[in-house]
Amino acid sequence: MHACHPMRLRLVGLGVSIALAFAPGAPSAQPVGLPSMGASSAAELSPAVERLLGDAIMEQGRHDPTYIADLDVNQYLTQMGRGLAAHAPQPIGQRITVFPVRDPSINAFALPGGYIGINSGLIVASDSESELAAVMAHEIGHVMQRHIARGITQQAQGTGIMVASMVGALLAALAGQGNLAMGVATFGQAAAIDQQLGFSRSAEQEADRAGFQMMRKAGYDVRGMVAMFQRLMNASRLNEGGGGGSYASTHPLSIQRMSDIENRVREVPVHAHQDSPSYWYVRSRLSLMQARDTSARQRAIQALEHDSTHAKGIQRSAAWYGLAWLAWQEKDYAAARTALDKAREGGSGPQLDVLAMNLNQATRAPDALGFAQAAWKRRPDSQAVAQALARAMQAAGQDQAVVPFLQARIKQWPDIPEFRKALADSYDRLGQPVEARRAMAGYYERTGALPTAVELLQQARSLSKDFYVQSEIDVRIRQLRERLDNQRALLEQFKS
Ligand SMILES: [Zn+2]
């Protein structure tokens, strides 16, 4: 689960390099040449600092073309990850956030700060929700055991040359001069050095064991771990010679790990797990989203067409859903409706509702708003449905009514930036520039762009004539500046 692929290298390159700046216990004058790993050193890379690194990496990662910004997929994966993490044998120390990466290679990776990336290829290659859970639980195991921090530290030895430029890029970003994108070239260089974390055999087994426990307690079928491992081993074998053999090289002891898990599976009673419909719908859509070229896309379509006639139940429904989604993307709305109706025959899920809402929107269906409201009533836990309802309301000119709706969603899901952006749009149309800027500042704050957030708040401050609002904004600006100062101070320590 630690094969190399471009995004990971780039992100980890960033992670490794910045993390080096916070090298555990390293005095500020000595960022390079860390002592070899002791048991205590990982503890010194505090979870808060780790989170800061993760946030910085994710701010960059969000702009990566392979990052899939999709509330539905993100919520599905993150909920799954947090559900597993709730059963971890030890406290995780980080809040788990799982995001999908548009990449057909079978891979997953953990970044500092509890962020876990899952390649679409891995989700598509899995054959049950338990198999997907197995990989996720393994990655959460790494987070729990603080392997990211330790791996970073070990890897950091000898790559310290990068520190100054990394820190420089981050400081520039914090100062609001350019964004982290300007650091990318540097991180690209960093990636040229082999920076895979290359967890040790014992780290892998620890993560497997923790993952196994999480899977079992969260109600997944532990046999999925064996099945997924087999799949990963086969995939790495196929990749060998094709330049993709790095998976095998970072997992030289997969056979041992495999028998370790097999033994554990034998020791516990077998529990079948019922896949959630969302698993199949998400998987179906990702199979299309990840296609790199026409032939890959053609293969994905053929597979769905095959399933739409030969599969049964939810898998058949998911295949029709994928075809409906594709038709919608291609603006063939009639075909999309037909396929969506077929999908509805075999199952239901927020994905089907959102697609129906998108179709209503695209075709200006007269009952679009009513449908959206009913869908939200059915699925008050779906971020994607809430987002689609907000759009339907905005399309119907209901900006006034959408404001309290979005405010409530922001309370419900404070970390999801998209609702803040939608709120800003409506405030804009309502002619409330102060509130629009405040909402947008919240959006940038959540995506890690603190300087931009401060800038927008300053604009809002000068536009406002209300003393009460002004002082509220002043407090916010002060808080954000403090956060910026803290981050800067951490970085400055390691500036050469
Ligand atoms: Zn691993």
Side-chain angles (χ1 to χ4, degrees), residues 2 138 142 199 204 251:
H2 300 281
H138 172 92
H142 279 309
F199 296 131
E204 286 302 312
H251 293 267

Side-chain angles (χ1 to χ4, degrees), residues 12-23:
V12 170
L14 174 61
V16 167
S17 313
I18 302 167
L20 179 54
F22 302 103

